[in-house]
Amino acid sequence: MTGWLGGLEERARTVLPAPVAEYVAQGARESLTTAAAVGAWREHRFLPHVLRDVTDVDPGVELLGRRSELPWGVAPTTLQRAVHPEGELAMARATHAAGGLVVVSSNAGTPFAEIGETGARWWLQAYLPADRTLAEPMLARARDAGAEAVVLTVDTPVVATKYAAGESVWATVDPGLVRVNFGPDHEGRPGADKATDLGPHDLDWLRETAGLPVVVKGVLRPDDARRCVEAGAAAVWVSNHGGRQLDRAATTAHALPAVAAEVGADAEVYVDGGLRTGLDVLTALALGADAAFLGRPPLWALAEGETGVARLHAELLEETVEALRLAGCRTVADTRGLLATPPVPGA
Ligand SMILES: Cc1cc2nc3c(=O)[nH]c(=O)nc-3n(C[C@H](O)[C@H](O)[C@H](O)COP(=O)(O)O)c2cc1C
């Protein structure tokens, strides 16, 4: 990768403490899924349209009934305040200024009320605890602070094992920089561990308890996507958690088309994992995603503060608009059917 986006991780590593950079980059176990994610998007080839007026190109999308100027959003990530003191606030402000959407981790280091005060459009990401009622105060706080949806992460019945190259980040980071939206005594309470028995009925409970639409994050299979939609999910988010959960899980570039074919007509479909450039975003849209999400790139950009995140969105937008023009697409809807099949492994 070249240009400003291409140097993002390298520049961030020069300013971040090594354990923080390592935590952002790492995958689970042998990191095979993490390592394959970026390349999988690049196996696809476009069949561009020509002789089409691409003077005015609109990269915007409608997500859960509201327009986003960007066809991507910021995926939920912890430790933003360890990456930069302004953490979630800088992320929210810069993304809001670009007309985009942030998904805030339930482990965020900034109170939801402060995130809401930025005026940014935001969704809450949640894990459900074994005792579901323990999630209720956090859901209420998020809704009161203006969260417009709740994204339930379903790929984490247990946190996968990761091997840190050096010192563990948790030994170095101030505990006050994470998980500030739980009650003070949350951690030690019986039933506070992540639920290992999540089922489709939890979507109903969550929608009613939060009073918000539910997005299910961490789906790779079309049959599971169908179960989510039947259980009332407003959107299905194809993700393998950036390769940080089940190592050797399929790449999202490979999993997305079948999920989009199964439920794309009935619910919105999002995707994350390894998206780094405007061409990657175009590929995701062409494969049936209604929006793409990025996890690590906004964190690397946040190492440069709010201006870093603003630049990330600006660079991606420029690349995406150029790609849309070159592909003969005026809108995101025009990108369907843009890919040559089959993809070219290792191309
Ligand atoms: C440092 C880090 C922290 C993360 N924290 C969360 C989290 O709290 N909740 C969640 O659902 N996903 C979390 N994720 C996963 C991201 O939301 C997303 O699925 C993934 O990073 C996308 O892949 P990418 O990093 O290649 O863009 C985290 C990812 C990273 C890299």
Side-chain angles (χ1 to χ4, degrees), residues 23-24 37 75-78 105-107 125 127 153 217 237 239-242 244 272-276 293-297 299:
Y23 181 78
V24 171
T77 52
T78 47
S105 169
S106 50
N107 294 329
Q125 175 270 330
Y127 298 105
T153 300
K217 175 174 182 278
W237 182 325
S239 174
N240 54 33
H241 215 114
R244 298 163 76 85
D272 72 21
L275 294 145
R276 300 293 179 261
F293 283 84
L294 287 82
R296 293 179 184 86
L299 279 179

PDB file of all heavy atoms in Angstrom, residues 23-24 37 75-78 105-107 125 127 153 217 237 239-242 244 272-276 293-297 299, ligand 1:
ATOM      1  N   TYR A  23      -1.285  -4.709  20.759  1.00  0.00           N
ATOM      2  CA  TYR A  23      -2.672  -5.098  21.038  1.00  0.00           C
ATOM      3  C   TYR A  23      -3.572  -4.773  19.843  1.00  0.00           C
ATOM      4  O   TYR A  23      -4.440  -5.563  19.476  1.00  0.00           O
ATOM      5  CB  TYR A  23      -3.183  -4.383  22.296  1.00  0.00           C
ATOM      6  CG  TYR A  23      -4.596  -4.773  22.634  1.00  0.00           C
ATOM      7  CD1 TYR A  23      -4.872  -5.993  23.253  1.00  0.00           C
ATOM      8  CD2 TYR A  23      -5.672  -3.951  22.307  1.00  0.00           C
ATOM      9  CE1 TYR A  23      -6.175  -6.376  23.533  1.00  0.00           C
ATOM     10  CE2 TYR A  23      -6.979  -4.325  22.584  1.00  0.00           C
ATOM     11  CZ  TYR A  23      -7.219  -5.533  23.205  1.00  0.00           C
ATOM     12  OH  TYR A  23      -8.512  -5.917  23.467  1.00  0.00           O
ATOM     13  N   VAL A  24      -3.363  -3.620  19.256  1.00  0.00           N
ATOM     14  CA  VAL A  24      -4.193  -3.231  18.100  1.00  0.00           C
ATOM     15  C   VAL A  24      -3.963  -4.194  16.941  1.00  0.00           C
ATOM     16  O   VAL A  24      -4.905  -4.660  16.291  1.00  0.00           O
ATOM     17  CB  VAL A  24      -3.874  -1.778  17.669  1.00  0.00           C
ATOM     18  CG1 VAL A  24      -4.559  -1.435  16.358  1.00  0.00           C
ATOM     19  CG2 VAL A  24      -4.287  -0.794  18.764  1.00  0.00           C
ATOM     20  N   ALA A  37      -6.852 -11.321   5.933  1.00  0.00           N
ATOM     21  CA  ALA A  37      -8.000 -10.433   5.727  1.00  0.00           C
ATOM     22  C   ALA A  37      -7.784  -9.395   4.628  1.00  0.00           C
ATOM     23  O   ALA A  37      -8.644  -9.186   3.771  1.00  0.00           O
ATOM     24  CB  ALA A  37      -8.333  -9.724   7.040  1.00  0.00           C
ATOM     25  N   ALA A  75     -15.718   0.931  13.225  1.00  0.00           N
ATOM     26  CA  ALA A  75     -16.102  -0.257  13.990  1.00  0.00           C
ATOM     27  C   ALA A  75     -15.752  -0.037  15.465  1.00  0.00           C
ATOM     28  O   ALA A  75     -14.875   0.770  15.795  1.00  0.00           O
ATOM     29  CB  ALA A  75     -15.367  -1.485  13.448  1.00  0.00           C
ATOM     30  N   PRO A  76     -16.432  -0.763  16.363  1.00  0.00           N
ATOM     31  CA  PRO A  76     -16.154  -0.564  17.798  1.00  0.00           C
ATOM     32  C   PRO A  76     -14.797  -1.127  18.188  1.00  0.00           C
ATOM     33  O   PRO A  76     -14.468  -2.261  17.844  1.00  0.00           O
ATOM     34  CB  PRO A  76     -17.276  -1.367  18.471  1.00  0.00           C
ATOM     35  CG  PRO A  76     -17.639  -2.423  17.470  1.00  0.00           C
ATOM     36  CD  PRO A  76     -17.460  -1.769  16.127  1.00  0.00           C
ATOM     37  N   THR A  77     -14.014  -0.337  18.885  1.00  0.00           N
ATOM     38  CA  THR A  77     -12.724  -0.819  19.399  1.00  0.00           C
ATOM     39  C   THR A  77     -12.481  -0.249  20.790  1.00  0.00           C
ATOM     40  O   THR A  77     -12.783   0.915  21.063  1.00  0.00           O
ATOM     41  CB  THR A  77     -11.543  -0.408  18.484  1.00  0.00           C
ATOM     42  OG1 THR A  77     -11.589   1.002  18.255  1.00  0.00           O
ATOM     43  CG2 THR A  77     -11.566  -1.146  17.168  1.00  0.00           C
ATOM     44  N   THR A  78     -11.903  -1.092  21.622  1.00  0.00           N
ATOM     45  CA  THR A  78     -11.512  -0.655  22.964  1.00  0.00           C
ATOM     46  C   THR A  78     -10.210   0.129  22.882  1.00  0.00           C
ATOM     47  O   THR A  78      -9.577   0.198  21.831  1.00  0.00           O
ATOM     48  CB  THR A  78     -11.222  -1.876  23.858  1.00  0.00           C
ATOM     49  OG1 THR A  78     -10.398  -2.768  23.124  1.00  0.00           O
ATOM     50  CG2 THR A  78     -12.472  -2.576  24.278  1.00  0.00           C
ATOM     51  N   SER A 105     -17.579   1.055  21.473  1.00  0.00           N
ATOM     52  CA  SER A 105     -17.429  -0.191  22.226  1.00  0.00           C
ATOM     53  C   SER A 105     -18.040  -0.055  23.608  1.00  0.00           C
ATOM     54  O   SER A 105     -17.930   0.997  24.250  1.00  0.00           O
ATOM     55  CB  SER A 105     -15.941  -0.530  22.356  1.00  0.00           C
ATOM     56  OG  SER A 105     -15.766  -1.579  23.280  1.00  0.00           O
ATOM     57  N   SER A 106     -18.645  -1.130  24.077  1.00  0.00           N
ATOM     58  CA  SER A 106     -19.155  -1.095  25.458  1.00  0.00           C
ATOM     59  C   SER A 106     -17.997  -1.000  26.445  1.00  0.00           C
ATOM     60  O   SER A 106     -18.184  -0.626  27.596  1.00  0.00           O
ATOM     61  CB  SER A 106     -20.018  -2.320  25.742  1.00  0.00           C
ATOM     62  OG  SER A 106     -19.352  -3.489  25.359  1.00  0.00           O
ATOM     63  N   ASN A 107     -16.791  -1.305  26.003  1.00  0.00           N
ATOM     64  CA  ASN A 107     -15.606  -1.167  26.857  1.00  0.00           C
ATOM     65  C   ASN A 107     -14.922   0.191  26.685  1.00  0.00           C
ATOM     66  O   ASN A 107     -13.758   0.363  27.058  1.00  0.00           O
ATOM     67  CB  ASN A 107     -14.602  -2.272  26.544  1.00  0.00           C
ATOM     68  CG  ASN A 107     -15.149  -3.638  26.920  1.00  0.00           C
ATOM     69  OD1 ASN A 107     -15.924  -3.758  27.865  1.00  0.00           O
ATOM     70  ND2 ASN A 107     -14.764  -4.670  26.190  1.00  0.00           N
ATOM     71  N   GLN A 125     -22.042  -0.652  20.772  1.00  0.00           N
ATOM     72  CA  GLN A 125     -21.734  -2.089  20.650  1.00  0.00           C
ATOM     73  C   GLN A 125     -21.877  -2.711  22.036  1.00  0.00           C
ATOM     74  O   GLN A 125     -21.408  -2.149  23.030  1.00  0.00           O
ATOM     75  CB  GLN A 125     -20.306  -2.283  20.129  1.00  0.00           C
ATOM     76  CG  GLN A 125     -19.857  -3.745  20.077  1.00  0.00           C
ATOM     77  CD  GLN A 125     -19.191  -4.205  21.367  1.00  0.00           C
ATOM     78  OE1 GLN A 125     -18.574  -3.405  22.057  1.00  0.00           O
ATOM     79  NE2 GLN A 125     -19.335  -5.472  21.695  1.00  0.00           N
ATOM     80  N   TYR A 127     -21.753  -6.468  24.430  1.00  0.00           N
ATOM     81  CA  TYR A 127     -21.688  -7.899  24.717  1.00  0.00           C
ATOM     82  C   TYR A 127     -22.749  -8.124  25.785  1.00  0.00           C
ATOM     83  O   TYR A 127     -22.922  -7.264  26.653  1.00  0.00           O
ATOM     84  CB  TYR A 127     -20.329  -8.277  25.312  1.00  0.00           C
ATOM     85  CG  TYR A 127     -19.135  -8.037  24.419  1.00  0.00           C
ATOM     86  CD1 TYR A 127     -18.273  -6.961  24.653  1.00  0.00           C
ATOM     87  CD2 TYR A 127     -18.855  -8.891  23.360  1.00  0.00           C
ATOM     88  CE1 TYR A 127     -17.155  -6.751  23.856  1.00  0.00           C
ATOM     89  CE2 TYR A 127     -17.736  -8.680  22.557  1.00  0.00           C
ATOM     90  CZ  TYR A 127     -16.898  -7.610  22.813  1.00  0.00           C
ATOM     91  OH  TYR A 127     -15.800  -7.419  22.022  1.00  0.00           O
ATOM     92  N   THR A 153     -22.501  -8.020  19.660  1.00  0.00           N
ATOM     93  CA  THR A 153     -21.387  -8.838  19.166  1.00  0.00           C
ATOM     94  C   THR A 153     -21.608 -10.278  19.607  1.00  0.00           C
ATOM     95  O   THR A 153     -21.715 -10.555  20.810  1.00  0.00           O
ATOM     96  CB  THR A 153     -20.053  -8.295  19.705  1.00  0.00           C
ATOM     97  OG1 THR A 153     -19.913  -6.942  19.248  1.00  0.00           O
ATOM     98  CG2 THR A 153     -18.877  -9.115  19.203  1.00  0.00           C
ATOM     99  N   LYS A 217     -23.494  -8.433  15.079  1.00  0.00           N
ATOM    100  CA  LYS A 217     -22.121  -8.362  14.572  1.00  0.00           C
ATOM    101  C   LYS A 217     -21.373  -9.662  14.861  1.00  0.00           C
ATOM    102  O   LYS A 217     -21.353 -10.118  16.012  1.00  0.00           O
ATOM    103  CB  LYS A 217     -21.384  -7.200  15.245  1.00  0.00           C
ATOM    104  CG  LYS A 217     -19.897  -7.088  14.906  1.00  0.00           C
ATOM    105  CD  LYS A 217     -19.316  -5.820  15.513  1.00  0.00           C
ATOM    106  CE  LYS A 217     -17.848  -5.621  15.183  1.00  0.00           C
ATOM    107  NZ  LYS A 217     -16.952  -6.380  16.042  1.00  0.00           N
ATOM    108  N   TRP A 237     -24.070  -8.026  10.453  1.00  0.00           N
ATOM    109  CA  TRP A 237     -22.718  -7.474  10.241  1.00  0.00           C
ATOM    110  C   TRP A 237     -21.755  -8.639  10.094  1.00  0.00           C
ATOM    111  O   TRP A 237     -21.513  -9.365  11.061  1.00  0.00           O
ATOM    112  CB  TRP A 237     -22.376  -6.609  11.447  1.00  0.00           C
ATOM    113  CG  TRP A 237     -21.091  -5.883  11.490  1.00  0.00           C
ATOM    114  CD1 TRP A 237     -19.883  -6.288  11.004  1.00  0.00           C
ATOM    115  CD2 TRP A 237     -20.853  -4.609  12.118  1.00  0.00           C
ATOM    116  NE1 TRP A 237     -18.934  -5.347  11.275  1.00  0.00           N
ATOM    117  CE2 TRP A 237     -19.489  -4.308  11.961  1.00  0.00           C
ATOM    118  CE3 TRP A 237     -21.671  -3.690  12.808  1.00  0.00           C
ATOM    119  CZ2 TRP A 237     -18.918  -3.142  12.463  1.00  0.00           C
ATOM    120  CZ3 TRP A 237     -21.101  -2.531  13.303  1.00  0.00           C
ATOM    121  CH2 TRP A 237     -19.741  -2.256  13.125  1.00  0.00           C
ATOM    122  N   SER A 239     -18.517 -10.353  10.114  1.00  0.00           N
ATOM    123  CA  SER A 239     -17.256 -10.013  10.795  1.00  0.00           C
ATOM    124  C   SER A 239     -16.668 -11.249  11.441  1.00  0.00           C
ATOM    125  O   SER A 239     -17.402 -12.126  11.896  1.00  0.00           O
ATOM    126  CB  SER A 239     -17.540  -8.956  11.886  1.00  0.00           C
ATOM    127  OG  SER A 239     -16.384  -8.702  12.667  1.00  0.00           O
ATOM    128  N   ASN A 240     -15.356 -11.323  11.471  1.00  0.00           N
ATOM    129  CA  ASN A 240     -14.684 -12.334  12.299  1.00  0.00           C
ATOM    130  C   ASN A 240     -13.873 -11.630  13.399  1.00  0.00           C
ATOM    131  O   ASN A 240     -12.891 -12.174  13.883  1.00  0.00           O
ATOM    132  CB  ASN A 240     -13.825 -13.274  11.444  1.00  0.00           C
ATOM    133  CG  ASN A 240     -12.838 -12.521  10.571  1.00  0.00           C
ATOM    134  OD1 ASN A 240     -12.332 -11.457  10.971  1.00  0.00           O
ATOM    135  ND2 ASN A 240     -12.550 -13.038   9.394  1.00  0.00           N
ATOM    136  N   HIS A 241     -14.313 -10.421  13.743  1.00  0.00           N
ATOM    137  CA  HIS A 241     -13.711  -9.666  14.844  1.00  0.00           C
ATOM    138  C   HIS A 241     -12.259  -9.292  14.516  1.00  0.00           C
ATOM    139  O   HIS A 241     -11.390  -9.252  15.380  1.00  0.00           O
ATOM    140  CB  HIS A 241     -13.769 -10.507  16.129  1.00  0.00           C
ATOM    141  CG  HIS A 241     -13.994  -9.716  17.385  1.00  0.00           C
ATOM    142  ND1 HIS A 241     -15.125  -9.832  18.144  1.00  0.00           N
ATOM    143  CD2 HIS A 241     -13.221  -8.804  18.037  1.00  0.00           C
ATOM    144  CE1 HIS A 241     -15.037  -9.047  19.206  1.00  0.00           C
ATOM    145  NE2 HIS A 241     -13.894  -8.402  19.161  1.00  0.00           N
ATOM    146  N   GLY A 242     -12.015  -9.046  13.231  1.00  0.00           N
ATOM    147  CA  GLY A 242     -10.642  -8.717  12.827  1.00  0.00           C
ATOM    148  C   GLY A 242      -9.686  -9.870  13.065  1.00  0.00           C
ATOM    149  O   GLY A 242      -8.480  -9.651  13.240  1.00  0.00           O
ATOM    150  N   ARG A 244      -9.669 -11.777  15.635  1.00  0.00           N
ATOM    151  CA  ARG A 244      -9.288 -11.791  17.055  1.00  0.00           C
ATOM    152  C   ARG A 244     -10.079 -12.794  17.870  1.00  0.00           C
ATOM    153  O   ARG A 244      -9.908 -12.894  19.066  1.00  0.00           O
ATOM    154  CB  ARG A 244      -9.465 -10.379  17.636  1.00  0.00           C
ATOM    155  CG  ARG A 244      -8.581  -9.364  16.949  1.00  0.00           C
ATOM    156  CD  ARG A 244      -9.031  -7.949  17.215  1.00  0.00           C
ATOM    157  NE  ARG A 244      -8.709  -7.453  18.522  1.00  0.00           N
ATOM    158  CZ  ARG A 244      -7.541  -6.901  18.861  1.00  0.00           C
ATOM    159  NH1 ARG A 244      -6.566  -6.797  17.966  1.00  0.00           N
ATOM    160  NH2 ARG A 244      -7.335  -6.452  20.073  1.00  0.00           N
ATOM    161  N   ASP A 272     -16.887  -5.980   7.969  1.00  0.00           N
ATOM    162  CA  ASP A 272     -15.598  -5.409   8.362  1.00  0.00           C
ATOM    163  C   ASP A 272     -14.527  -6.486   8.266  1.00  0.00           C
ATOM    164  O   ASP A 272     -14.821  -7.659   8.043  1.00  0.00           O
ATOM    165  CB  ASP A 272     -15.642  -4.786   9.769  1.00  0.00           C
ATOM    166  CG  ASP A 272     -15.720  -5.805  10.905  1.00  0.00           C
ATOM    167  OD1 ASP A 272     -15.352  -6.982  10.719  1.00  0.00           O
ATOM    168  OD2 ASP A 272     -16.151  -5.426  12.009  1.00  0.00           O
ATOM    169  N   GLY A 273     -13.271  -6.053   8.392  1.00  0.00           N
ATOM    170  CA  GLY A 273     -12.151  -6.985   8.401  1.00  0.00           C
ATOM    171  C   GLY A 273     -11.228  -6.776   7.221  1.00  0.00           C
ATOM    172  O   GLY A 273     -11.535  -7.171   6.099  1.00  0.00           O
ATOM    173  N   GLY A 274     -10.112  -6.103   7.469  1.00  0.00           N
ATOM    174  CA  GLY A 274      -9.083  -5.993   6.439  1.00  0.00           C
ATOM    175  C   GLY A 274      -9.335  -4.939   5.383  1.00  0.00           C
ATOM    176  O   GLY A 274      -8.602  -4.872   4.395  1.00  0.00           O
ATOM    177  N   LEU A 275     -10.356  -4.105   5.573  1.00  0.00           N
ATOM    178  CA  LEU A 275     -10.617  -3.037   4.588  1.00  0.00           C
ATOM    179  C   LEU A 275      -9.665  -1.884   4.861  1.00  0.00           C
ATOM    180  O   LEU A 275      -9.621  -1.357   5.978  1.00  0.00           O
ATOM    181  CB  LEU A 275     -12.073  -2.581   4.702  1.00  0.00           C
ATOM    182  CG  LEU A 275     -13.079  -3.663   4.298  1.00  0.00           C
ATOM    183  CD1 LEU A 275     -14.334  -3.585   5.134  1.00  0.00           C
ATOM    184  CD2 LEU A 275     -13.420  -3.527   2.818  1.00  0.00           C
ATOM    185  N   ARG A 276      -8.894  -1.497   3.864  1.00  0.00           N
ATOM    186  CA  ARG A 276      -7.845  -0.499   4.086  1.00  0.00           C
ATOM    187  C   ARG A 276      -7.869   0.651   3.087  1.00  0.00           C
ATOM    188  O   ARG A 276      -7.221   1.673   3.317  1.00  0.00           O
ATOM    189  CB  ARG A 276      -6.457  -1.183   4.019  1.00  0.00           C
ATOM    190  CG  ARG A 276      -6.252  -2.294   5.047  1.00  0.00           C
ATOM    191  CD  ARG A 276      -6.208  -1.740   6.467  1.00  0.00           C
ATOM    192  NE  ARG A 276      -6.045  -2.772   7.474  1.00  0.00           N
ATOM    193  CZ  ARG A 276      -7.046  -3.295   8.187  1.00  0.00           C
ATOM    194  NH1 ARG A 276      -8.296  -2.895   7.995  1.00  0.00           N
ATOM    195  NH2 ARG A 276      -6.829  -4.211   9.109  1.00  0.00           N
ATOM    196  N   PHE A 293     -17.155  -1.353   7.508  1.00  0.00           N
ATOM    197  CA  PHE A 293     -16.663  -0.775   8.764  1.00  0.00           C
ATOM    198  C   PHE A 293     -15.172  -1.049   8.884  1.00  0.00           C
ATOM    199  O   PHE A 293     -14.674  -2.060   8.369  1.00  0.00           O
ATOM    200  CB  PHE A 293     -17.428  -1.343   9.965  1.00  0.00           C
ATOM    201  CG  PHE A 293     -18.785  -0.731  10.126  1.00  0.00           C
ATOM    202  CD1 PHE A 293     -19.878  -1.223   9.406  1.00  0.00           C
ATOM    203  CD2 PHE A 293     -18.983   0.358  10.962  1.00  0.00           C
ATOM    204  CE1 PHE A 293     -21.140  -0.637   9.526  1.00  0.00           C
ATOM    205  CE2 PHE A 293     -20.233   0.950  11.090  1.00  0.00           C
ATOM    206  CZ  PHE A 293     -21.312   0.449  10.380  1.00  0.00           C
ATOM    207  N   LEU A 294     -14.481  -0.136   9.535  1.00  0.00           N
ATOM    208  CA  LEU A 294     -13.031  -0.277   9.705  1.00  0.00           C
ATOM    209  C   LEU A 294     -12.696  -0.238  11.191  1.00  0.00           C
ATOM    210  O   LEU A 294     -13.198   0.630  11.918  1.00  0.00           O
ATOM    211  CB  LEU A 294     -12.292   0.858   8.994  1.00  0.00           C
ATOM    212  CG  LEU A 294     -12.263   0.802   7.460  1.00  0.00           C
ATOM    213  CD1 LEU A 294     -13.550   1.348   6.856  1.00  0.00           C
ATOM    214  CD2 LEU A 294     -11.084   1.591   6.925  1.00  0.00           C
ATOM    215  N   GLY A 295     -11.844  -1.163  11.613  1.00  0.00           N
ATOM    216  CA  GLY A 295     -11.456  -1.243  13.016  1.00  0.00           C
ATOM    217  C   GLY A 295     -10.070  -0.679  13.268  1.00  0.00           C
ATOM    218  O   GLY A 295      -9.913   0.381  13.883  1.00  0.00           O
ATOM    219  N   ARG A 296      -9.035  -1.355  12.756  1.00  0.00           N
ATOM    220  CA  ARG A 296      -7.670  -0.901  13.045  1.00  0.00           C
ATOM    221  C   ARG A 296      -7.307   0.419  12.371  1.00  0.00           C
ATOM    222  O   ARG A 296      -6.665   1.263  13.025  1.00  0.00           O
ATOM    223  CB  ARG A 296      -6.668  -1.995  12.664  1.00  0.00           C
ATOM    224  CG  ARG A 296      -6.780  -3.247  13.563  1.00  0.00           C
ATOM    225  CD  ARG A 296      -5.802  -4.314  13.140  1.00  0.00           C
ATOM    226  NE  ARG A 296      -5.918  -5.554  13.885  1.00  0.00           N
ATOM    227  CZ  ARG A 296      -6.753  -6.551  13.592  1.00  0.00           C
ATOM    228  NH1 ARG A 296      -7.574  -6.442  12.545  1.00  0.00           N
ATOM    229  NH2 ARG A 296      -6.783  -7.660  14.306  1.00  0.00           N
ATOM    230  N   PRO A 297      -7.672   0.672  11.104  1.00  0.00           N
ATOM    231  CA  PRO A 297      -7.229   1.941  10.497  1.00  0.00           C
ATOM    232  C   PRO A 297      -7.642   3.185  11.285  1.00  0.00           C
ATOM    233  O   PRO A 297      -6.801   4.085  11.488  1.00  0.00           O
ATOM    234  CB  PRO A 297      -7.858   1.898   9.094  1.00  0.00           C
ATOM    235  CG  PRO A 297      -7.980   0.437   8.793  1.00  0.00           C
ATOM    236  CD  PRO A 297      -8.320  -0.205  10.112  1.00  0.00           C
ATOM    237  N   LEU A 299      -7.995   3.396  14.442  1.00  0.00           N
ATOM    238  CA  LEU A 299      -7.157   3.427  15.657  1.00  0.00           C
ATOM    239  C   LEU A 299      -5.759   3.936  15.324  1.00  0.00           C
ATOM    240  O   LEU A 299      -5.202   4.767  16.047  1.00  0.00           O
ATOM    241  CB  LEU A 299      -7.041   2.027  16.266  1.00  0.00           C
ATOM    242  CG  LEU A 299      -8.191   1.538  17.145  1.00  0.00           C
ATOM    243  CD1 LEU A 299      -7.899   0.128  17.632  1.00  0.00           C
ATOM    244  CD2 LEU A 299      -8.400   2.468  18.333  1.00  0.00           C
TER     245      LEU A 299
HETATM  246  C1  LIG B   1      -7.918  -3.116  19.319  1.00  0.00           C
HETATM  247  C2  LIG B   1      -9.254  -3.677  18.909  1.00  0.00           C
HETATM  248  C3  LIG B   1     -10.293  -3.670  19.838  1.00  0.00           C
HETATM  249  C4  LIG B   1     -11.541  -4.178  19.478  1.00  0.00           C
HETATM  250  N1  LIG B   1     -12.577  -4.102  20.383  1.00  0.00           N
HETATM  251  C5  LIG B   1     -13.811  -4.544  20.024  1.00  0.00           C
HETATM  252  C6  LIG B   1     -14.918  -4.411  20.913  1.00  0.00           C
HETATM  253  O1  LIG B   1     -14.802  -3.886  22.019  1.00  0.00           O
HETATM  254  N2  LIG B   1     -16.118  -4.888  20.495  1.00  0.00           N
HETATM  255  C7  LIG B   1     -16.305  -5.472  19.263  1.00  0.00           C
HETATM  256  O2  LIG B   1     -17.401  -5.894  18.927  1.00  0.00           O
HETATM  257  N3  LIG B   1     -15.267  -5.573  18.399  1.00  0.00           N
HETATM  258  C8  LIG B   1     -14.054  -5.122  18.740  1.00  0.00           C
HETATM  259  N4  LIG B   1     -13.015  -5.214  17.833  1.00  0.00           N
HETATM  260  C9  LIG B   1     -13.274  -5.743  16.484  1.00  0.00           C
HETATM  261  C10 LIG B   1     -13.648  -4.601  15.519  1.00  0.00           C
HETATM  262  O3  LIG B   1     -14.905  -4.063  15.820  1.00  0.00           O
HETATM  263  C11 LIG B   1     -13.697  -5.092  14.056  1.00  0.00           C
HETATM  264  O4  LIG B   1     -14.558  -6.198  13.965  1.00  0.00           O
HETATM  265  C12 LIG B   1     -12.342  -5.437  13.454  1.00  0.00           C
HETATM  266  O5  LIG B   1     -11.313  -4.658  14.015  1.00  0.00           O
HETATM  267  C13 LIG B   1     -12.393  -5.243  11.936  1.00  0.00           C
HETATM  268  O6  LIG B   1     -11.199  -5.610  11.331  1.00  0.00           O
HETATM  269  P1  LIG B   1     -10.060  -4.546  10.897  1.00  0.00           P
HETATM  270  O7  LIG B   1      -9.387  -4.157  12.171  1.00  0.00           O
HETATM  271  O8  LIG B   1      -9.185  -5.340  10.001  1.00  0.00           O
HETATM  272  O9  LIG B   1     -10.735  -3.385  10.218  1.00  0.00           O
HETATM  273  C14 LIG B   1     -11.754  -4.724  18.183  1.00  0.00           C
HETATM  274  C15 LIG B   1     -10.692  -4.720  17.259  1.00  0.00           C
HETATM  275  C16 LIG B   1      -9.459  -4.195  17.609  1.00  0.00           C
HETATM  276  C17 LIG B   1      -8.380  -4.180  16.575  1.00  0.00           C
END
